[in-house]
Amino acid sequence: MPELPEVEHARGLLESRLVGRRIQDAHVAEDDIVFEGKTPKEVRAKLVGRTILSAERHGKVHWLTLDTAPHPVFRLGMTGGWRFEGDEPMPLDASAAAVDRTWPPKFTKLRIVVDDGEMALTNARRLGRVLLRASVRDEPPVSELGFDPFASMPSPAAFVAQTKGRRGNVKALLMDQSFSAGVGNWIADEVLYQAAIDPRRKVDALSPEELLRLRAQLEAIVRLAVEVDARKELFPKGWLFHRRWGKKPAAKTLDGEVIERIKVAGRTTAWVPTRQH
């Protein structure tokens, strides 16, 4: 599922291809789930003729700011992605063996036409959303999100303060979008692995030192993943990411530590018991 780095990649793609351009046409699929009950005619009427001023993101949500409200807001869901006509598609699923190179791509929900081409939004499982919002940051879903670890990481003191009164385990905290927007399963596991913290630990039992270690790793992992444009092959070889997938009983880290899989916060969790305490 796309997490913060993948969505930042999508935002950057929109920025490079669409910002400053006028929407000449929009092809909208009939899908009352993805478009929140809006008809193709309604969505198209709000887009065509508008000029795109900026492409923005908070957590896993990204949007285009137009010269006239409402603005289109996008959630990629598990399988959503953007592609500009003629560009090589980027696989978002770490296990994907192949990518779709047809045009328009399969499962296209929206095509935005500008003067030099088209941008297509695909959504195979219909778990993503295309929303229209008059004031994006002041309305759900963005108004309900916590800090963005890449764009608005709290200071160390503020981070510790925001954990006060939080109950439950630390993995659930990291994945709570009202706490840290954009963190999903693999980022949470990577942060806890590199911070050497057991994912089952209770938040209120973590020491200030452990919380600061958690913050430092969250910031570093997200920033590096964004800097390499979410290209998984460019992640450091020692990251748990490269060995956390699947159910191989003999899976080990680069250093030879055994990787175990358990359920935490309702999600399959990869962790290293000899390292994480």
Side-chain angles (χ1 to χ4, degrees):
M1 179 174 183
E3 300 186 27
L4 189 157
E6 291 89 353
V7 181
E8 176 60 19
H9 168 80
R11 185 210 64 79
L13 185 61
L14 295 180
E15 182 176 69
S16 66
R17 296 295 197 173
L18 298 183
V19 169
R21 292 169 169 82
R22 179 177 175 273
I23 301 175
Q24 297 185 344
D25 202 356
H27 302 276
V28 184
E30 289 195 24
D31 193 320
D32 58 358
I33 294 177
V34 171
F35 290 96
E36 269 199 337
K38 296 285 191 299
T39 67
K41 183 178 179 179
E42 289 174 314
V43 175
R44 184 178 182 277
K46 300 299 184 182
L47 300 180
V48 175
R50 307 302 196 271
T51 297
I52 301 167
L53 302 181
S54 65
E56 303 180 54
R57 181 196 57 77
H58 191 96
K60 300 179 187 179
V61 181
H62 64 298
W63 64 94
L64 294 173
T65 299
L66 308 181
D67 58 348
T68 304
H71 313 285
V73 178
F74 311 105
R75 304 183 77 162
L76 295 179
M78 291 186 69
T79 57
W82 286 99
R83 186 170 138 210
F84 196 77
E85 186 178 12
D87 283 357
E88 178 70 9
M90 175 182 176
L92 290 177
D93 186 337
S95 63
V99 292
D100 175 23
R101 291 178 173 82
T102 60
W103 192 267
K106 296 177 183 177
F107 311 113
T108 292
K109 298 301 179 182
L110 174 66
R111 279 190 289 149
I112 296 175
V113 181
V114 293
D115 58 356
D116 62 346
E118 300 181 3
M119 183 74 79
L121 173 66
T122 61
N123 195 322
R125 297 190 187 178
R126 303 176 74 197
L127 296 174
R129 296 292 181 268
V130 179
L131 318 170
L132 295 172
R133 296 290 185 262
S135 181
V136 178
R137 291 191 182 276
D138 298 324
E139 300 178 59
V142 177
S143 63
E144 299 172 340
L145 300 176
F147 67 84
D148 183 291
F150 180 72
S152 56
M153 174 66 84
S155 68
F159 182 90
V160 172
Q162 288 184 34
T163 67
K164 298 299 182 184
R166 295 269 183 170
R167 299 187 180 277
N169 61 62
V170 64
K171 172 146 188 192
L173 174 72
L174 287 175
M175 295 186 63
D176 182 348
Q177 299 303 293
S178 70
F179 176 73
S180 52
V183 176
N185 205 28
W186 83 256
I187 291 179
D189 282 357
E190 193 68 51
V191 168
L192 291 165
Y193 167 69
Q194 294 193 31
I197 296 174
D198 186 324
R200 302 168 297 182
R201 291 275 303 278
K202 298 300 182 183
V203 177
D204 55 6
L206 295 175
S207 68
E209 179 189 11
E210 289 172 317
L211 289 170
L212 292 178
R213 204 160 70 226
L214 193 73
R215 177 197 176 278
Q217 293 300 335
L218 174 58
E219 182 175 42
I221 289 163
V222 167
R223 187 158 298 280
L224 194 153
V226 169
E227 286 175 354
V228 300
D229 208 21
R231 297 284 299 272
K232 312 300 191 295
E233 69 274 15
L234 298 181
F235 291 174
K237 293 182 179 180
W239 276 20
L240 183 69
F241 178 90
H242 297 295
R243 297 163 181 83
R244 70 178 300 279
W245 310 97
K247 299 180 179 179
K248 296 179 181 178
K252 294 182 179 181
T253 68
L254 187 64
D255 295 329
E257 302 161 300
V258 174
I259 300 171
E260 294 188 4
R261 291 172 181 82
I262 55 176
K263 284 280 187 179
V264 182
R267 301 294 299 276
T268 299
T269 298
W271 76 304
V272 180
T274 56
R275 175 188 177 98
Q276 298 172 247
H277 307 286

